[in-house]
Amino acid sequence: MDLVRPLSPVLHADPTRVMIRPFTPAEDPTAIDPAHRSRVERVVERILALDEATLEATLATVLTSLRHRHRQVNMTIMRRYHEIAGPLLAGRTVSARQAMMIGAYFSEEYAFEAAALFNPSAVLHPDQTDMPAGSVRLVIALRAVGEGHVSSITFRTATLSADGTLALDRTQPTMATPIIERSGESRDDSTMSLIYRPGTDPASIALFPVTVHQKHGMEDLRLVRFAEEDGTVCYFGTYSAFSGTALRQEMLRTGDFARFELAPVRGKAGSAKGLALFPRRSGGLFAMLGRQDHDGIWLLQSSDLDRWDGGARIIEPRFPWELVQIGNCGSPIEIAEGWLVIVHGVGPVRNYSIGACLLDRNDPSRLLARTGSPLISTTPKDRDGYVPNVVYSCGGLAHGRTLFLPYGVADSWTAFATIDIDALLRTMA
């Protein structure tokens, strides 16, 4: 832990950050309406029965409440009207005010990070223009937890300076709302796209559950900047989608942090946790690290980015701080000496710690060295939170010969640190 330089900024949950998401009232347990109308139909009819003065006053109050917290409010609630009531009211005359009122009644504000903000990963921002020499702009992905312990994916931006200091950018007071598109032949194989306006600040974006597979959360995005041999760059991220009864791995793709494609990871590996993509092909194949059992770290390779099968265990628990389990924190980081992998270990009293290992650059199945002691563990001053005794990261990056590492504490908040890579390698055996 003497190698670790804590950075001063920290990130805590912010209940003022809210998104607009669809709301549909639960149906009655039995059909009690004489006309056999659904609750949606009954609410719509009540709205249409409002007199013009009441309608206008109520709508004005709603729009005033929403506009200082969200962007494109009119478009968002009109889109919701077409989703929920457009088919029901086909052929009927509905005024613009009535349509907006219906859209508002079937929407809700959701404080997506009111409870916790943790398990971060970091990548280089796609826009590095006008940065001072030695400084880089970052995008930090985080797991945000709100009402019902439902997890969403959100972002922050920051600047890491040449001297290793970190400056978090101020968040905007309003959140952007995406257009949601579905493609695919069935609910299980569909790809969802969440589309924001080009140039939208990533810190104004929250990716929230939109399918039955994600209903209870999108957890622990391991984001990586992936470069093809021709120089093409794309951002990928694997995360766990939890339906409430089943968990599967899904993959996020984006080139600009404005259009996000979300698709299931197919194959036998898709039901495991912790998958993290290497930042380039290895031997002509895509490669991932992950957990295919409850003990160690596995290496998987595939010619198809969307399908992953098989694999082999390459690292097993060895030291006291990882005897229950060892897993990769995020994507491997390429340095001159090989692939630097940040790992987590689970020890006594279910304490989580963070360490590291080094894999061969040309043959990542070969373990070259590993830390015998944790780099970061909880301390008496920061061990308490929603889940005590946990530090956990979903990925860092190398800035020259410095490792930048964001990490979650007690499943509650996020801290940051830097580690000298040369000093780290000297501690490995």
Side-chain angles (χ1 to χ4, degrees):
M1 294 182 70
D2 293 338
L3 299 174
V4 178
R5 177 195 170 201
L7 302 179
S8 56
V10 294
L11 281 172
H12 289 277
D14 183 354
T16 68
R17 287 170 60 79
V18 293
M19 66 173 75
I20 299 176
R21 69 176 187 179
F23 164 70
T24 304
E27 287 296 337
D28 301 311
T30 57
I32 60 173
D33 184 82
H36 303 291
R37 297 173 302 173
S38 67
R39 281 193 72 194
V40 169
E41 292 175 290
R42 302 200 305 266
V43 172
V44 167
E45 291 300 331
R46 293 173 195 141
I47 297 167
L48 295 178
L50 294 174
D51 63 77
E52 189 64 26
T54 302
L55 177 70
E56 187 164 348
T58 305
L59 182 60
T61 299
V62 169
L63 294 180
T64 299
S65 169
L66 294 177
R67 280 176 177 154
H68 77 284
R69 286 153 55 105
H70 307 278
R71 303 177 189 181
Q72 304 166 349
V73 170
N74 288 26
M75 183 181 72
T76 298
I77 61 178
M78 280 299 290
R79 190 161 61 235
R80 182 58 178 153
Y81 160 75
H82 288 292
E83 292 170 353
I84 197 75
L88 290 176
L89 300 176
R92 294 180 62 176
T93 300
V94 179
S95 71
R97 287 191 180 89
Q98 288 174 320
M100 291 186 69
M101 197 74 263
I102 291 170
Y105 269 96
F106 293 99
S107 301
E108 67 174 346
E109 287 192 304
Y110 180 67
F112 58 93
E113 63 174 66
L117 190 66
F118 60 110
N119 291 4
S121 57
V123 294
L124 292 177
H125 195 293
D127 182 7
Q128 296 292 326
T129 56
D130 300 324
M131 292 302 295
S135 298
V136 290
R137 185 176 290 116
L138 306 177
V139 176
I140 300 166
L142 301 120
R143 177 177 170 182
V145 178
E147 176 188 350
H149 196 70
V150 174
S151 296
S152 302
I153 296 166
T154 190
F155 305 95
R156 296 288 197 277
T157 56
T159 298
L160 183 63
S161 299
D163 62 1
T165 58
L166 180 71
L168 295 169
D169 296 332
R170 178 177 295 181
T171 57
Q172 298 297 316
T174 57
M175 296 296 296
T177 303
I179 296 172
I180 302 172
E181 293 182 354
R182 179 195 295 272
S183 61
E185 296 180 359
S186 73
R187 293 172 67 88
D188 285 335
D189 70 2
S190 62
T191 296
M192 304 299 299
S193 294
L194 276 64
I195 305 167
Y196 297 83
R197 282 188 175 183
T200 298
D201 179 4
S204 298
I205 290 171
L207 308 179
F208 53 91
V210 292
T211 72
V212 292
H213 297 283
Q214 306 163 352
K215 184 177 180 181
H216 282 260
M218 302 163 69
E219 304 174 358
D220 300 344
L221 178 69
R222 289 164 164 84
L223 194 61
V224 64
R225 182 181 183 271
F226 187 91
E228 282 284 15
E229 295 176 354
D230 62 2
T232 303
V233 171
C234 187
Y235 294 86
F236 294 98
T238 47
Y239 61 93
S240 298
F242 184 48
S243 68
T245 57
L247 181 144
R248 74 177 188 181
Q249 291 293 292
E250 296 185 349
M251 185 176 293
L252 171 154
R253 311 177 193 210
T254 185
D256 56 3
F257 289 89
R259 183 185 182 99
F260 299 85
E261 292 184 358
L262 313 175
V265 174
R266 299 180 179 86
K268 296 178 181 178
S271 60
K273 294 188 72 173
L275 290 179
L277 186 68
F278 279 65
R280 64 170 175 83
R281 295 179 193 247
S282 178
L285 298 173
F286 298 104
M288 279 197 191
L289 295 180
R291 284 199 344 249
Q292 298 302 296
D293 55 24
H294 292 289
D295 278 339
I297 298 176
W298 289 57
L299 173 67
L300 301 90
Q301 294 178 308
S302 177
S303 59
D304 182 352
L305 188 60
D306 296 314
R307 185 172 189 87
W308 297 84
D309 292 295
R313 187 192 299 176
I314 61 171
I315 307 173
E316 297 182 347
R318 176 180 173 188
F319 301 107
W321 60 278
E322 60 187 25
L323 291 184
V324 173
Q325 170 185 300
I326 185 172
N328 57 293
C329 282
S331 293
I333 300 166
E334 188 168 15
I335 59 176
E337 294 81 359
W339 294 106
L340 180 62
V341 180
I342 308 305
V343 302
H344 72 267
V346 183
V349 202
R350 199 171 172 257
N351 276 253
Y352 276 68
S353 301
I354 293 174
C357 67
L358 186 69
L359 305 179
D360 187 280
R361 194 172 180 183
N362 297 316
D363 179 8
S365 68
R366 289 185 60 226
L367 174 63
L368 301 180
R370 63 198 291 184
T371 52
S373 299
L375 297 171
I376 302 175
S377 298
T378 56
T379 66
K381 69 177 182 179
D382 62 12
R383 64 187 296 179
D384 296 321
Y386 186 73
V387 181
N389 304 315
V390 173
V391 288
Y392 195 90
S393 176
C394 288
L397 56 84
H399 180 44
R401 297 296 290 180
T402 298
L403 171 67
F404 171 71
L405 186 63
Y407 60 95
V409 181
D411 279 13
S412 298
W413 52 281
T414 293
F416 304 92
T418 57
I419 302 171
D420 182 272
I421 291 176
D422 295 311
L424 171 59
L425 295 177
R426 288 194 293 268
T427 69
M428 292 187 180

